Amino acid sequence: MALPEMVFDAEEIRLKRIVDHTALLGYEEAGFVCGKIDQVYGPLAFRKKPEGRPLVYASYVMSVDGKIAFMDNEVGPLIAQNNYLDPNGALADFWILNMLRGQSDGIIIGSGTLIKEPNYSGSAYDRDILDARRAAGKPLAPWTVIVTRSGQNIPFHNPVFQCEEVPFLIATSPVGYQSLIKDLPKDHVLLPVCQNEDDQETIRRVIRNCPDKIAVFVSGNEDEPDSSALMKVLDAMGMEKVLVESPAYCHHLMQKKLLHEIFINTSCVFVGGQATGIGSSETPFLSTDHPHCDIVSIHLHQTNFLYTRYCFRYDVMP
Ligand SMILES: NC(=O)c1ccc[n+]([C@@H]2O[C@H](COP(=O)([O-])OP(=O)(O)OC[C@H]3O[C@@H](n4cnc5c(N)ncnc54)[C@H](OP(=O)(O)O)[C@@H]3O)[C@@H](O)[C@H]2O)c1
Protein backbone atom coordinates (compact mmCIF):
# COMPACT_ATOMS: atom_id res chain seq x y z
CA MET A 1 0.00 0.00 0.00
CA ALA A 2 1.38 3.45 -0.93
CA LEU A 3 1.34 6.29 1.56
CA PRO A 4 -1.68 8.54 1.02
CA GLU A 5 -1.08 12.21 0.21
CA MET A 6 -3.39 15.15 0.90
CA VAL A 7 -3.57 18.73 -0.27
CA PHE A 8 -4.21 21.29 2.51
CA ASP A 9 -5.23 24.81 1.53
CA ALA A 10 -2.87 27.14 3.41
CA GLU A 11 -5.39 29.99 3.42
CA GLU A 12 -8.12 27.90 5.05
CA ILE A 13 -5.90 26.66 7.86
CA ARG A 14 -3.69 29.71 8.37
CA LEU A 15 -3.14 30.30 12.09
CA LYS A 16 -2.84 33.51 14.04
CA ARG A 17 0.22 33.45 16.30
CA ILE A 18 -0.74 35.34 19.45
CA VAL A 19 2.18 34.38 21.74
CA ASP A 20 5.76 33.60 20.74
CA HIS A 21 8.35 32.84 23.43
CA THR A 22 10.63 30.78 21.19
CA ALA A 23 13.51 33.28 21.21
CA LEU A 24 13.08 33.89 24.95
CA LEU A 25 13.34 30.15 25.61
CA GLY A 26 16.38 29.64 23.38
CA TYR A 27 14.76 27.89 20.41
CA GLU A 28 17.40 28.42 17.78
CA GLU A 29 17.44 25.24 15.67
CA ALA A 30 15.24 25.65 12.58
CA GLY A 31 13.37 22.61 11.29
CA PHE A 32 13.79 21.83 7.58
CA VAL A 33 12.85 24.57 5.12
CA CYS A 34 9.16 24.45 4.18
CA GLY A 35 7.24 27.39 2.72
CA LYS A 36 3.90 25.86 3.76
CA ILE A 37 4.95 25.82 7.42
CA ASP A 38 6.02 29.47 7.24
CA GLN A 39 2.71 30.33 5.59
CA VAL A 40 0.40 28.50 8.00
CA TYR A 41 2.27 28.40 11.32
CA GLY A 42 5.14 30.86 11.01
CA PRO A 43 8.74 29.97 11.82
CA LEU A 44 9.10 26.57 13.52
CA ALA A 45 12.20 26.35 15.70
CA PHE A 46 13.43 23.73 18.15
CA ARG A 47 15.81 23.50 21.06
CA LYS A 48 19.12 21.75 20.61
CA LYS A 49 18.94 17.97 20.62
CA PRO A 50 20.28 16.58 23.90
CA GLU A 51 23.38 14.37 23.89
CA GLY A 52 22.66 10.65 23.52
CA ARG A 53 18.90 10.81 23.06
CA PRO A 54 16.45 12.45 20.64
CA LEU A 55 14.46 15.60 21.21
CA VAL A 56 11.07 14.19 22.24
CA TYR A 57 7.75 16.00 21.86
CA ALA A 58 4.14 14.85 22.09
CA SER A 59 1.04 16.15 20.31
CA TYR A 60 -2.68 15.80 21.14
CA VAL A 61 -5.98 17.48 20.50
CA MET A 62 -8.23 17.82 23.52
CA SER A 63 -11.55 19.29 24.56
CA VAL A 64 -11.68 22.36 26.81
CA ASP A 65 -11.98 19.94 29.76
CA GLY A 66 -8.84 17.98 28.77
CA LYS A 67 -10.44 14.87 27.21
CA ILE A 68 -8.73 13.28 24.20
CA ALA A 69 -11.62 11.06 23.05
CA PHE A 70 -15.41 10.93 23.37
CA MET A 71 -16.71 7.95 25.34
CA ASP A 72 -19.27 6.74 22.76
CA ASN A 73 -16.74 6.82 19.90
CA GLU A 74 -13.13 6.71 21.06
CA VAL A 75 -11.43 7.76 17.82
CA GLY A 76 -9.27 10.61 19.16
CA PRO A 77 -9.35 12.94 16.09
CA LEU A 78 -13.16 13.29 16.49
CA ILE A 79 -12.44 15.78 19.29
CA ALA A 80 -11.39 18.14 16.49
CA GLN A 81 -13.48 16.84 13.57
CA ASN A 82 -16.74 17.03 15.53
CA ASN A 83 -16.24 20.68 16.41
CA TYR A 84 -19.03 21.69 14.01
CA LEU A 85 -18.35 25.40 14.45
CA ASP A 86 -14.96 25.38 12.71
CA PRO A 87 -14.17 22.55 10.24
CA ASN A 88 -11.06 24.38 9.02
CA GLY A 89 -9.82 24.69 12.60
CA ALA A 90 -10.11 20.88 12.78
CA LEU A 91 -8.14 20.60 9.53
CA ALA A 92 -5.51 22.90 11.04
CA ASP A 93 -5.30 20.56 14.04
CA PHE A 94 -4.64 17.61 11.72
CA TRP A 95 -2.21 19.69 9.70
CA ILE A 96 -0.16 20.53 12.85
CA LEU A 97 0.10 16.79 13.47
CA ASN A 98 1.29 16.49 9.83
CA MET A 99 3.86 19.21 10.43
CA LEU A 100 5.19 17.43 13.53
CA ARG A 101 5.14 13.99 11.90
CA GLY A 102 6.95 15.48 8.91
CA GLN A 103 9.69 16.93 11.12
CA SER A 104 10.13 13.69 13.06
CA ASP A 105 12.40 10.72 12.52
CA GLY A 106 10.23 8.43 14.64
CA ILE A 107 6.66 8.30 15.97
CA ILE A 108 5.91 6.45 19.22
CA ILE A 109 2.50 4.82 19.45
CA GLY A 110 0.80 2.34 21.79
CA SER A 111 -1.61 -0.48 21.09
CA GLY A 112 -4.45 1.46 22.82
CA THR A 113 -4.52 3.99 19.97
CA LEU A 114 -3.86 1.41 17.24
CA ILE A 115 -6.87 -0.61 18.44
CA LYS A 116 -9.26 2.32 18.93
CA GLU A 117 -8.22 4.00 15.68
CA PRO A 118 -8.36 1.16 13.11
CA ASN A 119 -7.42 3.57 10.29
CA TYR A 120 -4.32 4.91 12.05
CA SER A 121 -1.45 5.11 9.59
CA GLY A 122 1.02 7.39 11.40
CA SER A 123 2.63 9.45 8.68
CA ALA A 124 2.61 12.94 7.22
CA TYR A 125 0.12 13.35 4.36
CA ASP A 126 0.57 16.99 3.33
CA ARG A 127 2.21 16.92 -0.11
CA ASP A 128 4.11 20.18 0.51
CA ILE A 129 5.52 18.90 3.81
CA LEU A 130 6.42 15.57 2.21
CA ASP A 131 8.21 17.38 -0.65
CA ALA A 132 10.11 19.53 1.86
CA ARG A 133 10.96 16.43 3.89
CA ARG A 134 12.35 14.68 0.82
CA ALA A 135 14.28 17.81 -0.20
CA ALA A 136 15.86 17.81 3.28
CA GLY A 137 17.15 14.29 2.60
CA LYS A 138 14.81 12.49 4.99
CA PRO A 139 13.09 9.22 4.10
CA LEU A 140 9.43 9.53 3.08
CA ALA A 141 8.07 8.21 6.39
CA PRO A 142 9.40 8.33 9.94
CA TRP A 143 9.88 5.08 11.85
CA THR A 144 6.78 3.88 13.68
CA VAL A 145 7.86 2.80 17.17
CA ILE A 146 5.30 0.64 18.97
CA VAL A 147 5.69 0.47 22.73
CA THR A 148 4.20 -2.48 24.59
CA ARG A 149 4.74 -3.93 28.05
CA SER A 150 2.71 -7.07 27.37
CA GLY A 151 3.69 -7.72 23.73
CA GLN A 152 0.05 -8.68 23.17
CA ASN A 153 -2.88 -7.41 21.12
CA ILE A 154 -0.92 -5.40 18.57
CA PRO A 155 -3.29 -5.07 15.59
CA PHE A 156 -0.93 -6.10 12.79
CA HIS A 157 -3.75 -5.72 10.23
CA ASN A 158 -3.71 -1.93 10.87
CA PRO A 159 -2.79 0.18 7.76
CA VAL A 160 0.43 1.38 9.39
CA PHE A 161 1.83 -2.15 9.01
CA GLN A 162 0.78 -2.39 5.34
CA CYS A 163 2.77 0.60 3.97
CA GLU A 164 6.09 -0.49 2.51
CA GLU A 165 7.52 2.98 3.15
CA VAL A 166 6.92 2.81 6.92
CA PRO A 167 9.67 0.98 8.81
CA PHE A 168 8.70 -0.17 12.28
CA LEU A 169 10.30 -1.04 15.56
CA ILE A 170 8.59 -2.75 18.47
CA ALA A 171 9.95 -1.95 21.94
CA THR A 172 8.92 -4.31 24.70
CA SER A 173 9.86 -5.96 28.00
CA PRO A 174 11.41 -9.44 28.49
CA VAL A 175 7.97 -10.84 29.40
CA GLY A 176 6.36 -9.00 26.48
CA TYR A 177 8.89 -10.45 24.05
CA GLN A 178 7.74 -14.01 24.88
CA SER A 179 4.19 -13.11 23.77
CA LEU A 180 5.25 -10.92 20.89
CA ILE A 181 7.24 -13.61 19.05
CA LYS A 182 4.11 -15.78 18.83
CA ASP A 183 2.20 -13.00 16.99
CA LEU A 184 4.77 -11.31 14.76
CA PRO A 185 3.58 -11.46 11.14
CA LYS A 186 7.12 -11.76 9.70
CA ASP A 187 10.75 -12.33 10.68
CA HIS A 188 12.27 -10.03 13.24
CA VAL A 189 15.71 -8.88 14.23
CA LEU A 190 16.75 -7.96 17.77
CA LEU A 191 18.54 -4.70 18.47
CA PRO A 192 21.07 -4.74 21.31
CA VAL A 193 21.07 -2.42 24.32
CA CYS A 194 23.17 0.64 23.48
CA GLN A 195 25.95 1.28 25.98
CA ASN A 196 28.86 2.45 23.85
CA GLU A 197 29.97 3.37 20.36
CA ASP A 198 30.38 -0.28 19.32
CA ASP A 199 26.72 -0.91 20.21
CA GLN A 200 25.71 2.17 18.21
CA GLU A 201 27.56 0.83 15.19
CA THR A 202 26.00 -2.64 15.65
CA ILE A 203 22.51 -1.10 15.80
CA ARG A 204 23.10 0.86 12.61
CA ARG A 205 24.51 -2.22 10.86
CA VAL A 206 21.61 -4.45 11.89
CA ILE A 207 19.10 -1.84 10.64
CA ARG A 208 21.00 -1.42 7.35
CA ASN A 209 21.32 -5.16 6.72
CA CYS A 210 17.78 -6.24 7.60
CA PRO A 211 15.41 -3.79 5.89
CA ASP A 212 12.70 -6.44 5.47
CA LYS A 213 12.60 -7.62 9.06
CA ILE A 214 10.69 -6.16 12.00
CA ALA A 215 13.15 -4.51 14.38
CA VAL A 216 12.51 -5.48 18.02
CA PHE A 217 14.12 -3.98 21.10
CA VAL A 218 13.79 -5.77 24.43
CA SER A 219 14.82 -3.97 27.62
CA GLY A 220 14.07 -3.65 31.32
CA ASN A 221 12.97 -6.28 33.83
CA GLU A 222 10.05 -8.68 33.77
CA ASP A 223 7.12 -6.76 32.20
CA GLU A 224 8.54 -3.23 32.54
CA PRO A 225 10.61 -2.01 29.56
CA ASP A 226 13.32 0.61 30.07
CA SER A 227 12.39 3.85 28.27
CA SER A 228 15.78 5.44 28.87
CA ALA A 229 17.43 2.47 27.09
CA LEU A 230 14.95 2.88 24.21
CA MET A 231 15.90 6.56 23.82
CA LYS A 232 19.57 5.56 23.46
CA VAL A 233 18.66 3.04 20.73
CA LEU A 234 16.56 5.61 18.85
CA ASP A 235 19.50 8.00 19.04
CA ALA A 236 21.85 5.32 17.69
CA MET A 237 19.39 4.73 14.83
CA GLY A 238 19.93 8.37 13.87
CA MET A 239 16.66 9.76 15.21
CA GLU A 240 17.04 13.41 16.16
CA LYS A 241 13.38 14.25 16.73
CA VAL A 242 10.72 11.85 17.98
CA LEU A 243 7.00 12.50 18.18
CA VAL A 244 4.98 10.73 20.89
CA GLU A 245 1.38 9.98 19.96
CA SER A 246 0.73 7.40 22.69
CA PRO A 247 -1.10 9.15 25.57
CA ALA A 248 -0.10 6.53 28.15
CA TYR A 249 3.58 6.54 27.12
CA CYS A 250 3.57 10.36 27.10
CA HIS A 251 2.64 10.25 30.79
CA HIS A 252 5.30 7.62 31.42
CA LEU A 253 7.97 9.74 29.70
CA MET A 254 7.03 12.70 31.93
CA GLN A 255 7.48 10.44 34.95
CA LYS A 256 10.95 9.59 33.65
CA LYS A 257 11.63 13.27 32.79
CA LEU A 258 12.30 12.27 29.18
CA LEU A 259 9.58 14.31 27.44
CA HIS A 260 10.81 17.72 26.34
CA GLU A 261 7.68 19.31 24.92
CA ILE A 262 3.98 18.89 24.33
CA PHE A 263 1.80 20.45 21.61
CA ILE A 264 -1.80 20.65 22.82
CA ASN A 265 -4.50 21.76 20.42
CA THR A 266 -7.70 22.70 22.22
CA SER A 267 -10.91 22.18 20.31
CA CYS A 268 -13.54 24.28 22.04
CA VAL A 269 -15.98 21.45 22.76
CA PHE A 270 -16.82 19.91 26.13
CA VAL A 271 -16.81 16.15 26.79
CA GLY A 272 -17.09 15.62 30.56
CA GLY A 273 -17.49 12.39 32.51
CA GLN A 274 -14.78 9.75 32.74
CA ALA A 275 -13.63 10.06 29.11
CA THR A 276 -9.91 9.41 28.43
CA GLY A 277 -7.33 12.09 29.13
CA ILE A 278 -3.54 11.93 28.77
CA GLY A 279 -2.33 9.12 31.02
CA SER A 280 -5.73 8.64 32.64
CA SER A 281 -4.90 4.96 33.30
CA GLU A 282 -1.51 5.79 34.88
CA THR A 283 -0.54 6.79 38.43
CA PRO A 284 -1.11 10.55 38.72
CA PHE A 285 1.59 12.99 39.80
CA LEU A 286 1.57 14.25 43.38
CA SER A 287 0.40 17.68 44.52
CA THR A 288 3.95 18.33 45.74
CA ASP A 289 5.91 16.83 42.84
CA HIS A 290 4.75 17.22 39.24
CA PRO A 291 6.11 18.52 35.94
CA HIS A 292 5.77 22.25 35.22
CA CYS A 293 5.75 23.92 31.79
CA ASP A 294 6.71 27.12 30.07
CA ILE A 295 4.45 28.35 27.28
CA VAL A 296 6.43 28.29 24.03
CA SER A 297 3.77 29.61 21.65
CA ILE A 298 0.03 30.01 21.18
CA HIS A 299 -1.88 30.12 17.90
CA LEU A 300 -5.60 30.60 17.19
CA HIS A 301 -8.03 29.61 14.46
CA GLN A 302 -11.20 31.73 14.51
CA THR A 303 -12.82 31.68 17.95
CA ASN A 304 -12.96 27.87 18.18
CA PHE A 305 -9.44 26.39 18.33
CA LEU A 306 -6.35 27.17 20.39
CA TYR A 307 -2.97 25.60 19.53
CA THR A 308 -0.49 25.69 22.39
CA ARG A 309 3.08 24.49 22.67
CA TYR A 310 4.70 23.91 26.06
CA CYS A 311 8.17 22.85 27.16
CA PHE A 312 8.60 20.88 30.35
CA ARG A 313 10.54 21.81 33.45
CA TYR A 314 11.18 18.96 35.84
CA ASP A 315 12.43 19.09 39.44
CA VAL A 316 10.63 22.38 40.19
CA MET A 317 10.24 22.45 43.97
CA PRO A 318 8.07 24.61 46.22
N1 LIG B 1 -6.96 13.30 20.93
C1 LIG B 1 -5.75 12.89 20.59
O1 LIG B 1 -4.89 13.68 20.18
C2 LIG B 1 -5.37 11.44 20.73
C3 LIG B 1 -4.10 11.00 20.33
C4 LIG B 1 -3.77 9.65 20.50
C5 LIG B 1 -4.71 8.79 21.04
N2 LIG B 1 -5.92 9.26 21.38
C6 LIG B 1 -6.95 8.37 21.94
O2 LIG B 1 -6.48 7.87 23.19
C7 LIG B 1 -7.04 6.57 23.40
C8 LIG B 1 -5.90 5.58 23.65
O3 LIG B 1 -5.18 6.00 24.76
P1 LIG B 1 -4.26 4.98 25.58
O4 LIG B 1 -3.48 5.78 26.56
O5 LIG B 1 -5.11 3.85 26.03
O6 LIG B 1 -3.42 4.33 24.39
P2 LIG B 1 -1.89 4.23 23.99
O7 LIG B 1 -1.04 5.07 24.85
O8 LIG B 1 -1.83 4.43 22.52
O9 LIG B 1 -1.62 2.69 24.26
C9 LIG B 1 -1.61 2.15 25.56
C10 LIG B 1 -0.69 0.97 25.54
O10 LIG B 1 0.66 1.42 25.38
C11 LIG B 1 1.53 0.52 26.04
N3 LIG B 1 2.27 1.25 27.07
C12 LIG B 1 1.83 2.21 27.91
N4 LIG B 1 2.81 2.59 28.73
C13 LIG B 1 3.89 1.87 28.41
C14 LIG B 1 5.22 1.80 28.91
N5 LIG B 1 5.64 2.57 29.92
N6 LIG B 1 6.08 0.95 28.31
C15 LIG B 1 5.68 0.17 27.29
N7 LIG B 1 4.43 0.16 26.79
C16 LIG B 1 3.56 1.01 27.35
C17 LIG B 1 0.66 -0.53 26.70
O11 LIG B 1 0.58 -1.60 25.76
P3 LIG B 1 0.38 -3.13 26.17
O12 LIG B 1 -1.02 -3.21 26.70
O13 LIG B 1 0.56 -3.84 24.87
O14 LIG B 1 1.40 -3.46 27.20
C18 LIG B 1 -0.68 0.17 26.82
O15 LIG B 1 -1.78 -0.70 26.88
C19 LIG B 1 -7.78 6.21 22.11
O16 LIG B 1 -9.13 6.50 22.31
C20 LIG B 1 -7.17 7.14 21.09
O17 LIG B 1 -8.04 7.40 20.02
C21 LIG B 1 -6.27 10.55 21.24
Side-chain angles (χ1 to χ4, degrees), residues 18-19 41 58-60 62 96 100 261-266 294-300 305-311:
I18 57 168
V19 173
Y41 194 81
S59 171
Y60 304 96
M62 58 176 57
I96 286 182
L100 297 174
E261 289 192 40
I262 192 162
F263 291 74
I264 291 185
N265 298 342
T266 303
D294 283 319
I295 297 169
V296 180
S297 61
I298 306 180
H299 292 72
L300 283 179
F305 276 87
L306 187 66
Y307 310 84
T308 42
R309 178 183 185 184
Y310 303 95
C311 68

Side-chain angles (χ1 to χ4, degrees), residues 60-61 68 74 76 110-113 117 148-150 245-248 252:
Y60 304 96
V61 60
I68 57 169
E74 294 184 286
S111 56
T113 303
E117 298 185 22
T148 167
R149 289 191 181 98
S150 71
E245 296 192 21
S246 156
H252 167 79

Side-chain angles (χ1 to χ4, degrees), residues 49-295:
K49 171 193 165 317
E51 192 67 30
R53 59 190 167 112
L55 193 70
V56 185
Y57 43 82
S59 171
Y60 304 96
V61 60
M62 58 176 57
S63 62
V64 289
D65 56 327
K67 308 296 190 192
I68 57 169
F70 289 99
M71 282 187 86
D72 62 316
N73 185 342
E74 294 184 286
V75 173
L78 291 181
I79 293 286
Q81 287 164 22
N82 287 7
N83 182 330
Y84 305 128
L85 289 173
D86 186 4
N88 286 335
L91 260 186
D93 159 68
F94 184 47
W95 182 85
I96 286 182
L97 188 64
N98 268 255
M99 173 181 82
L100 297 174
R101 285 176 173 174
Q103 293 284 340
S104 305
D105 304 299
I107 299 175
I108 297 183
I109 192 73
S111 56
T113 303
L114 290 176
I115 291 167
K116 290 189 175 142
E117 298 185 22
N119 294 324
Y120 179 91
S121 75
S123 205
Y125 302 111
D126 182 313
R127 189 174 298 157
D128 299 320
I129 292 178
L130 286 172
D131 287 347
R133 187 177 159 91
R134 273 183 289 245
K138 288 187 178 290
L140 189 60
W143 280 80
T144 291
V145 181
I146 297 127
V147 286
T148 167
R149 289 191 181 98
S150 71
Q152 293 171 4
N153 302 323
I154 297 173
F156 287 109
H157 51 272
N158 188 297
V160 75
F161 298 111
Q162 319 305 329
C163 288
E164 283 157 26
E165 293 97 338
V166 182
F168 61 96
L169 162 69
I170 303 178
T172 190
S173 64
V175 167
Y177 180 58
Q178 297 311 318
S179 299
L180 182 69
I181 46 178
K182 295 180 199 139
D183 289 347
L184 284 174
K186 57 181 187 175
D187 288 349
H188 71 285
V189 60
L190 278 173
L191 300 183
V193 171
C194 185
Q195 282 166 332
N196 52 41
E197 284 182 13
D198 286 347
D199 298 332
Q200 290 182 337
E201 187 43 49
T202 307
I203 289 167
R204 287 193 274 268
R205 194 180 58 244
V206 170
I207 295 292
R208 241 187 348 261
N209 293 345
C210 305
D212 297 328
K213 294 188 178 170
I214 299 175
V216 174
F217 177 61
V218 183
S219 66
N221 293 310
E222 301 189 358
D223 63 354
E224 196 57 49
D226 180 341
S227 40
S228 178
L230 174 62
M231 292 303 138
K232 287 183 188 154
V233 167
L234 301 185
D235 184 65
M237 289 168 72
M239 296 193 201
E240 295 189 346
K241 298 193 187 82
V242 169
L243 171 65
V244 180
E245 296 192 21
S246 156
Y249 202 70
C250 167
H251 191 276
H252 167 79
L253 288 177
M254 283 188 258
Q255 285 172 324
K256 297 288 175 190
K257 304 175 186 170
L258 289 170
L259 187 70
H260 298 104
E261 289 192 40
I262 192 162
F263 291 74
I264 291 185
N265 298 342
T266 303
S267 167
C268 295
V269 298
F270 192 89
V271 176
Q274 301 304 309
T276 306
I278 295 173
S280 49
S281 58
E282 305 289 304
T283 309
F285 290 97
L286 300 176
S287 61
T288 50
D289 186 8
H290 42 261
H292 289 65
C293 294
D294 283 319
I295 297 169

